[in-house]
Amino acid sequence: MNDKSNVGSRKESLIKLLDVVIKHENEIIEALYEDFKKSPFEAVLTETSYVISELKDTIKNIHSWAKPKKVWPSLLNFPSTDYIYKDPYGKVLIIAPWNYPYQLALCPLISAVAAGNQVVLKPSELTPKTSAIIAKIIGKTFQPDHVKVVEGGVEETQILLSERWDYIFFTGSVAVGKIVAKAAAENLTPVTLELGGKNPCIIDETANLKLAAKRIVWGKFINAGQTCIAPDYILIQEDMKSHFVDFLKIEITKAYGENPKESPDFPRIVNEKNWLRLVSMIEPEKVIFGGENDIEDCYIAPTLIDENSMESLIMKDEIFGPLLPILTYKEESEISAILLKYEKPLALYVFTDDKKFAKKIVTNFSFGGGCINETVMHFSNKRLPFGGVGHSGIGAYHGKLSFDTFSHQKGVIKKATWLDLPLRYAPYNNKLASIKKLLKWL
Ligand code: NAD
């Protein structure tokens, strides 16, 4: 039995966490700026306020989420009352990435604690300032045998993965996701894998191009494109392309000025390794806007790329940076050939005023989640599951689903003793016809 099974004490520790988190909000905002020049506005919008809201929502709902849920009994069990109990798994390992280093570490942790687990959190080593404040926040809130932070990189994570866990929640790349899945398989440990992918953004001839450009520029270049659900590439009807590119240029300039390097709102690439990876994808003759870069500052400008080859480096893997290739299609039938060349993406976006086209795209393709005439914002609705499918991930979370993710759902029936129908018991003799009739009813 887990000694954290008392829901009241879980709630108290979350209330304490909320207090500590609020007190350290400015330190987190400063750390995010020091780590990769994330602007205070983006830090509040996508990190600190998100964590605070998740905490408040969990504190408000924890009792109803944790309560055993009564479900309709099966007639075969008459008379019984049936319940789903929400059991803590036990020892949970959470491994976080660097791109939203605070939110993607704290949100799963909040739900794992709410569900009654002991937690070890491994933040990303690539955002060391944020990692240090996270360790401080957790150290001030929890006893180490309840929740603790282990800072470090690959080596430390591999040591953690060699231990036995009751649940592993991993957010990061597909390649490391496979390492985590292999380690988990050793002990048949259940996992959530929140991974990435190549997210298409499809635009047809009926779309409102001006508004599409505005929403795509925001969703692509927020966090300098280092967002798992950022549009990875544009696939636009050929005739609309040049008009759309003009709108994109206007929107980028409106958002970040003539020189985005000077903009206080445009972050940097997290480190030199990622900067080199991204710059190697830029073929100068294909750049139609931006392209400026500076290794000293890990800077890459918002860049539009005129792409016509599926074989180029930029079209191989997830980009995860401020480079936006623009591809075209002539006929609708060409879309599926391009989309199906890749593993199932984490997100998909379609911009159109044609309801039938939108429905076809959303229903015909498999992807983690997405938007019609919007980018990224499906993430913000706690009532929507957030997660991938196929190579973009296993499992989903957010809101109540996060609580359920960290709970084993234990089905229990409570059978009455005042009646015991004889039908199911041997000897079966001539009871076959009766059981057939009953089973037809169910
Ligand atoms: P990553 O996979 O390199 O690292 C994630 C975590 O794994 C880090 O804590 C790191 O220390 C650890 N790690 C790295 N290499 C390891 C190894 N060989 N063995 C064991 N542990 C290792 O990912 P990242 O660069 O931090 O993040 C970027 C990736 O994460 C992108 O692919 C992005 O799409 C994905 N992502 C997904 C989501 C989501 O919610 N689905 C959110 C953010 C990022």
Side-chain angles (χ1 to χ4, degrees), residues 95-100 104 122-126 152-155 157-158 161 170-177 179-180 193-197 227-229 274 318 320 346 379 386-388 392 397:
I95 304 171
W98 56 264
N99 62 331
Y100 291 87
L104 294 174
K122 214 296 288 172
S124 174
E125 72 281 18
L126 301 192
V154 175
E155 198 184 322
T157 318
Q158 283 177 348
L161 285 172
F170 171 80
T171 308
S173 61
V174 174
V176 180
I179 295 173
V180 172
L193 300 178
E194 292 282 338
L195 310 177
T227 302
C228 56
I229 47 173
N274 272 285
E318 179 188 19
F320 215 60
L346 183 60
F379 188 90
F386 183 79
S392 55
Y397 72 129

Side-chain angles (χ1 to χ4, degrees), residues 14 17-26 28-29 43-60 102-103 106-107 110 382:
L14 292 177
L17 180 60
L18 178 62
D19 180 55
V20 179
V21 150
I22 289 172
K23 285 192 177 125
H24 288 77
E25 185 173 12
N26 285 338
I28 284 290
I29 294 168
V44 169
L45 177 72
T46 66
E47 306 253 20
T48 60
S49 71
Y50 202 88
V51 168
I52 290 170
S53 150
E54 187 80 5
L55 264 167
K56 288 184 175 166
D57 195 46
T58 308
I59 289 165
K60 188 171 135 206
Y102 182 60
Q103 188 235 116
L106 265 283
C107 285
I110 292 163
K382 290 192 178 80

Side-chain angles (χ1 to χ4, degrees), residues 217 221 245-254 256-260 282 284-292 299-306 322-324 326:
V217 164
F221 298 111
V245 167
D246 289 342
F247 281 128
L248 284 178
K249 290 178 184 171
I250 292 169
E251 291 302 332
I252 294 172
T253 311
K254 258 202 225 163
Y256 304 111
E258 292 293 338
N259 181 8
I282 305 174
E285 67 283 6
K286 291 184 179 172
V287 171
I288 46 179
F289 190 76
E292 302 82 11
Y299 167 74
I300 301 179
T303 299
L304 303 178
I305 291 172
D306 191 8
L323 314 176
L324 184 59
I326 299 160

Side-chain angles (χ1 to χ4, degrees), residues 157-421:
T157 318
Q158 283 177 348
I159 293 170
L160 289 170
L161 285 172
S162 68
E163 292 172 28
R164 182 168 179 168
W165 300 93
D166 299 304
Y167 201 93
I168 301 177
F169 188 102
F170 171 80
T171 308
S173 61
V174 174
V176 180
K178 289 180 185 176
I179 295 173
V180 172
K182 272 189 199 151
E186 282 297 318
N187 291 305
L188 297 179
T189 302
V191 290
T192 294
L193 300 178
E194 292 282 338
L195 310 177
K198 240 177 145 42
N199 308 320
C201 183
I202 303 157
I203 304 169
D204 81 350
E205 58 279 12
T206 68
N208 176 337
L209 292 185
K210 191 169 184 289
L211 190 59
K214 194 173 176 185
R215 291 178 178 173
I216 290 167
V217 164
W218 180 79
K220 176 68 187 183
F221 298 111
I222 190 169
N223 218 33
Q226 302 164 115
T227 302
C228 56
I229 47 173
D232 188 276
Y233 63 95
I234 301 286
L235 187 53
I236 187 165
Q237 208 288 330
E238 195 176 52
D239 302 337
M240 321 304 292
K241 180 178 150 189
S242 86
H243 207 32
F244 178 62
V245 167
D246 289 342
F247 281 128
L248 284 178
K249 290 178 184 171
I250 292 169
E251 291 302 332
I252 294 172
T253 311
K254 258 202 225 163
Y256 304 111
E258 292 293 338
N259 181 8
K261 199 175 177 190
E262 302 290 309
S263 164
D265 298 329
F266 190 67
R268 296 301 180 254
I269 305 308
V270 73
N271 62 9
E272 217 174 281
K273 189 173 161 211
N274 272 285
W275 185 91
L276 288 167
R277 179 183 65 79
L278 287 162
V279 166
S280 74
M281 292 178 188
I282 305 174
E283 296 178 60
E285 67 283 6
K286 291 184 179 172
V287 171
I288 46 179
F289 190 76
E292 302 82 11
N293 54 73
D294 174 7
I295 192 163
E296 295 297 317
D297 194 21
C298 275
Y299 167 74
I300 301 179
T303 299
L304 303 178
I305 291 172
D306 191 8
E307 190 53 79
N308 52 17
S309 163
M310 301 294 292
E311 303 310 316
S312 59
L313 191 56
I314 203 166
M315 292 310 293
K316 287 254 181 299
D317 288 316
E318 179 188 19
I319 298 169
F320 215 60
L323 314 176
L324 184 59
I326 299 160
L327 289 91
T328 58
Y329 66 90
K330 275 198 189 83
E331 304 297 330
E332 206 185 296
S333 57
E334 295 164 38
I335 294 175
S336 71
I338 294 174
L339 262 56
L340 297 177
K341 210 174 145 6
Y342 300 101
E343 297 290 347
K344 294 172 182 177
L346 183 60
L348 179 147
Y349 305 110
V350 55
F351 284 82
T352 178
D353 268 351
D354 178 348
K355 284 184 189 155
K356 276 193 189 151
F357 180 69
K359 191 172 172 197
K360 218 189 295 175
I361 295 291
V362 168
T363 52
N364 284 2
F365 296 100
S366 181
F367 54 94
C371 311
I372 299 166
N373 293 322
E374 182 54 286
T375 61
V376 172
M377 292 306 286
H378 59 299
F379 188 90
S380 67
N381 184 351
K382 290 192 178 80
R383 289 168 291 279
L384 290 177
F386 183 79
V389 56
H391 279 219
S392 55
I394 296 174
Y397 72 129
H398 280 190
K400 178 179 179 296
L401 184 55
S402 298
F403 183 93
D404 290 344
T405 290
F406 288 104
S407 309
H408 165 61
Q409 316 253 338
K410 190 161 72 180
V412 175
I413 72 163
K414 190 170 127 211
K415 192 81 177 250
T417 51
W418 58 268
L419 181 70
D420 193 33
L421 295 173

